[in-house]
Amino acid sequence: MTKMKEVISLAHGSGGKLTQELIKNFFLPSFNNPFLAPLTDSAVVEMNGVKFAFTTDSYVIKPLFFPGGDIGKLSVAGTINDLAVAGAKPVFITCGFIIEEGLPLAALKKIVSSIEQTARCAGVEVVAGDTKVVEKGSADGIFINTTGIGVIPPQINLKIASLKIGDYIIINGTVGDHSVAVLSSREELGFEESIESDCAPLYDLVKAIKPWWRFIKFMRDPTRGGIAGISNEIAQGQNFAIKIQEENVPLREETKALCELLGIDPLYLANEGKIIFFVEREKAEDILKALRIHALGKNANIIGEIVAEPVGKVYLETSIGTKRVLDMLIEDQLPRIC
Amino acid sequence: MTKMKEVISLAHGSGGKLTQELIKNFFLPSFNNPFLAPLTDSAVVEMNGVKFAFTTDSYVIKPLFFPGGDIGKLSVAGTINDLAVAGAKPVFITCGFIIEEGLPLAALKKIVSSIEQTARCAGVEVVAGDTKVVEKGSADGIFINTTGIGVIPPQINLKIASLKIGDYIIINGTVGDHSVAVLSSREELGFEESIESDCAPLYDLVKAIKPWWRFIKFMRDPTRGGIAGISNEIAQGQNFAIKIQEENVPLREETKALCELLGIDPLYLANEGKIIFFVEREKAEDILKALRIHALGKNANIIGEIVAEPVGKVYLETSIGTKRVLDMLIEDQLPRIC
């Protein structure tokens, strides 16, 4: 239990145990309402008979530019993906900029142009914005908040509660690319920039598998905390466990090598172009085939399933059959990854 | 014209000329769409036949706590007010927190509690949130983004284009209270804290004058830039001028004294609990009476009118009949006021 004399630490923003504690002790008691309660990435709200998804995210990634993207692209893709995994067609987004005095206008220009391109490709309109400037040393280059709204079609009904033993888990490609790209671009590390971030808006991929929507029970984008962290959020308090089959998790050789070198676990690395789909077992192969046809799903694979035990937990089964519980991390492996 | 080798300065966030230049040169060319184009505080969008207002604001006020409020109250009231002046009933808001490592949890608790209370009083639900933590020195305590959505009733049709010569301008109370409260709470100044910020959600006031909605042609909340700045935004490029009658502008004695002492103009001070209403001349007295019945409008007054000349400008007429153009400021009088 967090004590009041304590202060905020980086781990409170990690997406791990301390973030959950902060949400549970600070935010939920104040903001308890039926929309916020499910703790998914988007609130699902109804206004005048129409079902909407509504989501917000602030982006504080460091550095601002990385292989495969920048904070502008990330801030649009990330919010679109939070809508997409709620089954919503993203329609409108807002952009709030907090800029540190001294940011070169050329950098702002590049970022704004990325926002525009990403929004345009995804068919989303940037309809409102806000700009604040703070003194040098009071921010770090630029922080961007994007908030998005999307329309949820009637046939979409995604619920953790609908998951049952035997359901399969699919991911649409290799894990950890975003974290590795950002890590390699942080000067102090000096890695070769061989991997690009997977940062991409994913609604187009979700749309591509429309014929199978009714067999999809739940979706999440494994950003902060990675597939291990997100799987833990899903399994917690449920009457089932999640099994991940290590050999089936798509992973680049370079990511594997880097993780071994640094002693970090790729299953906890952040992704910005991935969705984990919880689907009906009988339709999993069909959905997999459909995903693989799309450029954003060509390395898709079935990576696990809902199992009976240990209840509320996530575990990894290795190729030689050993099992290891994947707990939620307390500290971030990599702060400021998004 | 801003050069690309230049960097962002505090004045780019002032709400004055440089902010306008930034928007015109950087944001509008990228995000030009019919929703963003009117450059009002909220985008008005239509989804599935329902008209919504959608608005975003980031709050970077310094200090976090000031007489009459804190960043939490401000971040909810400010966004509610942007919806209210679009004629929308605020319904849902999101909160994005960017927190500096080291913020005392007790401070966060107070801020979250203010958010909750302000939202509850205004009948708005906080439906989605996000928390990011950055290293000490990479932010300044806490920054909050709120994004709000509201429903616009069919009888509301607010447009600058509907303004015509003779329309009256009403404000619901004294100007500059927010700026003065924040200024006096900045330690280095050591003023006595005699004025409280006017920070308040104003939808309730707008609702109170519902019988007169069809006689209201346009509304704005004079935050950054004050009534002079906002009036300039409205008059710019239009075929009319705005006249402000100095003696009719409600102003506290303390504000007047402080402004004289510091050599600043109260008409440029930020307000966080004020609306300027542009109304049909014949109904102005009725609307004024209705506003004065409400606690948030008890000092309301008619402060000016739409006149013919000088076209596109704002001017102040003093009690002795002299006239002075109120231009848009280039630099902020008070940075980080919201």
Side-chain angles (χ1 to χ4, degrees):
Chain A
M1 173 71 197
T2 310
K3 302 235 171 46
M4 288 302 290
K5 63 185 170 191
E6 286 178 8
V7 300
I8 288 285
S9 69
L10 281 178
H12 280 112
S14 66
K17 273 186 179 165
L18 276 184
T19 306
Q20 282 210 321
E21 205 174 277
L22 193 69
I23 291 172
K24 211 179 74 193
N25 296 335
F26 275 70
F27 299 135
L28 281 192
S30 289
F31 305 131
N32 209 3
N33 63 53
F35 315 106
L36 188 69
L39 275 184
T40 47
D41 282 328
S42 288
V44 175
V45 299
E46 216 174 297
M47 283 182 295
N48 293 29
V50 183
K51 226 161 107 188
F52 296 103
F54 194 23
T55 188
T56 192
D57 247 315
S58 296
Y59 297 86
V60 298
I61 192 165
K62 186 177 165 175
L64 300 176
F65 300 90
F66 49 84
D70 59 35
I71 190 170
K73 181 180 181 187
L74 179 67
S75 68
V76 176
T79 288
I80 285 175
N81 295 347
D82 282 344
L83 295 174
V85 296
K89 176 179 160 44
V91 184
F92 298 118
I93 64 168
T94 61
C95 282
F97 300 96
I98 297 173
I99 310 178
E100 186 189 12
E101 187 186 11
L103 180 79
L105 284 178
L108 181 63
K109 186 105 188 157
K110 267 181 84 171
I111 291 165
V112 168
S113 152
S114 290
I115 290 174
E116 186 221 341
Q117 281 174 39
T118 313
R120 185 157 31 81
C121 287
V124 168
E125 300 273 14
V126 179
V127 292
D130 174 57
T131 306
K132 295 291 185 324
V133 180
V134 297
E135 310 87 333
K136 211 165 173 62
S138 290
D140 195 5
I142 185 168
F143 300 144
I144 301 177
N145 174 284
T146 56
T147 300
I149 194 153
V151 178
I152 302 177
Q155 69 265 48
I156 289 272
N157 190 19
L158 303 165
K159 274 195 199 119
I160 291 181
S162 71
L163 299 182
K164 64 175 212 304
I165 291 160
D167 289 340
Y168 270 157
I169 304 166
I170 301 177
I171 194 163
N172 60 308
T174 53
V175 305
D177 300 12
H178 177 69
S179 279
V180 171
V182 172
L183 199 58
S184 69
S185 68
R186 287 187 183 163
E187 292 169 78
E188 62 262 43
L189 290 169
F191 288 116
E192 256 193 72
E193 299 180 5
S194 52
I195 292 192
E196 290 207 332
S197 166
D198 56 347
C199 175
L202 295 169
Y203 179 70
D204 198 56
L205 178 68
V206 172
K207 202 174 66 179
I209 57 166
K210 191 170 178 180
W212 287 273
W213 279 0
R214 65 204 160 101
F215 307 112
I216 298 174
K217 297 177 148 195
F218 195 66
M219 295 187 268
R220 275 295 295 272
D221 52 337
T223 55
R224 275 186 296 185
I227 58 172
I230 297 304
S231 297
N232 263 290
E233 281 186 31
I234 294 166
Q236 253 170 19
Q238 302 297 326
N239 201 20
F240 56 71
I242 290 177
K243 178 176 89 171
I244 306 284
Q245 203 81 42
E246 188 174 38
E247 65 197 2
N248 293 342
V249 177
L251 187 66
R252 291 185 198 280
E253 277 309 314
E254 303 93 312
T255 306
K256 201 176 162 189
L258 183 65
C259 285
E260 280 169 6
L261 189 71
L262 296 175
I264 54 181
D265 187 335
L267 298 177
Y268 290 91
L269 292 180
N271 309 278
E272 291 292 346
K274 296 293 157 358
I275 293 176
I276 45 179
F277 301 84
F278 293 78
V279 306
E280 283 191 18
R281 190 183 189 97
E282 296 70 30
K283 300 291 174 183
E285 284 294 338
D286 291 345
I287 295 171
L288 187 63
K289 268 182 219 153
L291 285 170
R292 284 180 175 166
I293 292 167
H294 196 285
L296 292 167
K298 62 179 192 292
N299 296 315
N301 215 3
I302 298 171
I303 60 167
E305 64 185 290
I306 305 286
V307 293
E309 290 182 320
V311 162
K313 298 281 184 192
V314 180
Y315 74 90
L316 186 74
E317 192 173 84
T318 65
S319 51
I320 54 165
T322 60
K323 291 174 182 178
R324 169 165 69 89
V325 167
L326 297 171
D327 209 349
M328 186 159 265
L329 295 187
I330 292 172
E331 294 241 39
D332 230 347
Q333 295 195 126
L334 299 167
R336 312 243 338 240
I337 201 72
C338 60
Chain B
M1 171 72 195
T2 308
K3 302 235 171 45
M4 288 301 292
K5 63 185 170 192
E6 285 177 11
V7 300
I8 287 284
S9 69
L10 281 178
H12 280 112
S14 66
K17 274 187 179 164
L18 275 184
T19 306
Q20 281 211 321
E21 205 176 276
L22 193 69
I23 292 172
K24 212 178 74 191
N25 296 334
F26 274 72
F27 299 135
L28 281 192
S30 288
F31 304 131
N32 209 2
N33 62 55
F35 314 105
L36 189 68
L39 274 184
T40 47
D41 281 329
S42 288
V44 175
V45 300
E46 214 173 299
M47 283 182 295
N48 293 29
V50 184
K51 224 161 108 188
F52 297 103
F54 193 23
T55 187
T56 192
D57 247 315
S58 296
Y59 298 86
V60 299
I61 191 165
K62 184 177 167 176
L64 300 177
F65 301 90
F66 50 84
D70 60 34
I71 190 171
K73 182 181 181 185
L74 179 67
S75 68
V76 176
T79 288
I80 285 175
N81 295 348
D82 282 343
L83 295 173
V85 296
K89 175 179 159 42
V91 184
F92 298 117
I93 64 168
T94 61
C95 283
F97 300 97
I98 298 173
I99 310 178
E100 185 188 14
E101 187 187 10
L103 180 78
L105 284 178
L108 182 62
K109 186 104 190 161
K110 267 179 84 172
I111 291 164
V112 168
S113 153
S114 291
I115 291 175
E116 186 221 342
Q117 281 173 40
T118 314
R120 187 158 29 82
C121 287
V124 168
E125 300 273 12
V126 179
V127 293
D130 175 57
T131 306
K132 294 292 186 320
V133 180
V134 297
E135 309 87 332
K136 211 165 173 61
S138 291
D140 195 4
I142 185 168
F143 300 144
I144 301 177
N145 174 284
T146 55
T147 300
I149 192 153
V151 178
I152 301 177
Q155 69 265 48
I156 289 273
N157 190 18
L158 302 165
K159 272 194 200 123
I160 291 181
S162 71
L163 299 182
K164 65 174 210 306
I165 291 159
D167 289 340
Y168 269 157
I169 304 166
I170 301 176
I171 194 162
N172 60 308
T174 53
V175 305
D177 301 11
H178 177 69
S179 278
V180 171
V182 172
L183 199 58
S184 69
S185 69
R186 287 187 183 162
E187 292 169 77
E188 62 261 43
L189 291 170
F191 288 117
E192 255 192 73
E193 299 179 4
S194 53
I195 291 192
E196 291 208 331
S197 165
D198 56 347
C199 175
L202 295 170
Y203 180 70
D204 199 55
L205 178 68
V206 173
K207 202 174 67 178
I209 56 166
K210 192 169 178 180
W212 287 273
W213 280 1
R214 65 206 161 98
F215 307 113
I216 298 174
K217 297 178 148 195
F218 195 65
M219 295 187 267
R220 274 296 294 272
D221 51 336
T223 55
R224 274 186 297 185
I227 58 173
I230 297 304
S231 297
N232 264 289
E233 282 185 31
I234 294 165
Q236 254 171 19
Q238 302 298 325
N239 201 21
F240 57 72
I242 290 177
K243 177 176 89 170
I244 307 284
Q245 203 80 41
E246 188 174 38
E247 64 198 3
N248 294 342
V249 177
L251 187 66
R252 290 184 198 281
E253 278 308 314
E254 303 94 312
T255 306
K256 202 176 161 190
L258 184 65
C259 285
E260 280 169 6
L261 190 71
L262 296 175
I264 54 182
D265 187 336
L267 299 177
Y268 291 92
L269 292 180
N271 309 278
E272 291 293 346
K274 296 293 157 358
I275 294 176
I276 44 179
F277 302 83
F278 293 78
V279 305
E280 284 190 17
R281 189 184 190 96
E282 296 70 30
K283 300 292 174 182
E285 285 295 337
D286 291 345
I287 294 172
L288 187 63
K289 268 182 219 152
L291 285 170
R292 284 182 175 167
I293 292 169
H294 197 285
L296 293 167
K298 63 180 190 292
N299 297 316
N301 215 5
I302 298 170
I303 60 166
E305 63 184 292
I306 304 286
V307 293
E309 291 182 320
V311 161
K313 299 280 184 194
V314 180
Y315 74 91
L316 186 75
E317 193 173 83
T318 66
S319 50
I320 53 165
T322 61
K323 292 175 183 180
R324 168 164 69 89
V325 167
L326 297 171
D327 209 348
M328 186 160 266
L329 295 187
I330 292 171
E331 294 241 39
D332 230 346
Q333 296 194 127
L334 300 167
R336 309 235 351 232
I337 200 73
C338 61

